[in-house]
Amino acid sequence: MKTLRIPAPWIIAPSLLLGLLVATTPNRAQPTTPTPAPKPTATPWPAPAMPKRSKPSLPPAAKAPADPVHAGLLLFNDMSLSGSGTVACASCHPRGGHTNNKTYVGLNVVPDGQPDGRSTPLLWGVKDTAPYSWAGGKTLKENIKGIIVNRMKGKEPTDEQLDLLVAYLNSLEFPNNPNLKDDGSPSDAAPAAAKRGYQVFLKASCNACHVPPLFTKPDNEDIGSGGSFQVPSLRGVSTTAPYFHDGRFPNLRTLIPAKLAYLEKLGSTEKFSDEEIEDLLVFLGTL
């Protein structure tokens, strides 16, 4: 029998030695890959809240202005109210409703005293000096509409526009006058000549038509000047030439003799000295 010879370990083939090592090596637990934790469910952002729809607001023109007087002032200076787009109410009544001291037929300046001409009146205190316009017989609102349509040749204003213009005109007050008391008589501060002139004013019965303290009356009068016309207020009269509806008198000095002559025609026998006329002029200059 042949003897089995086992080679020495160090001469065993490397491949066989590797097989033996693998066969004799105990099994080791292979590391396991941990199962990833489930991702947290993302919480969605809330959808943006849709704004609540409000009722559509009225256009600015349809809203009542916060300050109707200011809105009326803007309209008073608005040239778009005229047909030509070149004139406004303030064109004839500048400086806060004063007069531009001109006589007009329509929008045309004519010579003072032209029979169909009309002098531009002062608008201060207009809310207290009805009737309105030289012809009278109208409300302030009607008069404004007539001027815009007939004189300025503009389209008929809306009621809202007219109300705003009236609000502005109603705000035009006569300035405070330290020379006058509340009843229209001269105050202690008035010049001595003005106090004498007030007595002449009463003597000539000027107060019958120009009733203090506003020095006007709510009726038309026919004083032989060519028709029945509004009695204008004498407040501020020294700055409102020319005088009468057609502007026929350039100043008060030429007007007073004509008025006194008219009183004589009515039967007055009062006579007035030159000094009295001068005092009357001083009084009128303080109004």
Side-chain angles (χ1 to χ4, degrees):
M1 185 176 71
K2 293 182 179 180
T3 302
L4 181 62
R5 297 179 66 186
I6 299 175
W10 54 83
I11 60 174
I12 295 176
S15 58
L16 179 59
L17 178 61
L18 179 61
L20 291 174
L21 290 173
V22 171
T24 58
T25 301
N27 291 333
R28 295 182 180 177
Q30 296 295 319
T32 58
T33 302
T35 304
K39 294 182 179 180
T41 304
T43 303
W45 288 98
M50 297 299 292
K52 294 182 180 179
R53 292 187 178 181
S54 58
K55 294 182 179 179
S57 59
L58 295 175
K63 292 182 178 179
D67 185 353
V69 172
H70 180 69
L73 170 61
L74 296 180
L75 283 173
F76 195 77
N77 288 273
D78 189 349
M79 292 184 178
S80 69
L81 292 182
S82 67
S84 65
T86 59
V87 294
C89 302
S91 300
C92 295
H93 301 280
R95 305 186 303 280
H98 203 270
T99 169
N100 65 354
N101 305 97
K102 295 179 181 179
T103 302
Y104 287 87
V105 172
L107 291 177
N108 298 317
V109 178
V110 298
D112 296 335
Q114 182 169 314
D116 57 345
R118 294 294 179 265
S119 62
T120 306
L122 179 72
L123 295 182
W124 293 352
V126 67
K127 66 182 176 64
D128 300 316
T129 57
Y132 307 102
S133 82
W134 281 109
K138 296 179 180 179
T139 66
L140 184 54
K141 191 172 181 177
E142 290 170 338
N143 190 51
I144 295 170
K145 181 192 294 186
I147 290 173
I148 292 175
V149 174
N150 301 322
R151 179 170 292 191
M152 296 168 63
K153 304 302 180 184
K155 65 180 181 180
E156 184 171 319
T158 65
D159 283 339
E160 180 189 10
Q161 288 175 318
L162 290 172
D163 288 340
L164 294 175
L165 285 167
V166 168
Y168 170 66
L169 293 181
N170 284 344
S171 74
L172 302 179
E173 301 281 358
F174 290 114
N176 292 330
N177 191 336
N179 293 307
L180 296 179
K181 295 179 182 179
D182 291 342
D183 63 0
S185 62
S187 68
D188 293 340
K195 296 174 183 178
R196 296 193 300 268
Y198 179 64
Q199 297 306 314
V200 177
F201 184 83
L202 299 177
K203 176 182 175 180
S205 299
C206 300
N207 61 315
C209 292
H210 298 282
V211 183
L214 295 177
F215 297 91
T216 184
K217 64 184 297 186
D219 303 299
N220 286 12
E221 286 288 338
D222 186 347
I223 59 172
S225 61
S228 178
F229 296 101
Q230 176 203 18
V231 179
S233 172
L234 295 182
R235 294 291 304 273
V237 67
S238 63
T239 66
T240 60
Y243 301 104
F244 274 30
H245 63 281
D246 54 8
R248 67 182 66 181
F249 295 109
N251 52 58
L252 291 173
R253 190 173 292 280
T254 58
L255 180 151
I256 288 176
K259 292 294 291 284
L260 295 178
Y262 172 71
L263 293 176
E264 289 181 3
K265 290 181 180 180
L266 295 179
S268 173
T269 59
E270 295 286 357
K271 300 299 179 181
F272 300 89
S273 67
D274 291 343
E275 290 78 11
E276 286 178 313
I277 299 300
E278 292 301 319
D279 288 342
L280 179 58
L281 285 170
V282 173
F283 170 67
L284 294 176
T286 64
L287 293 179

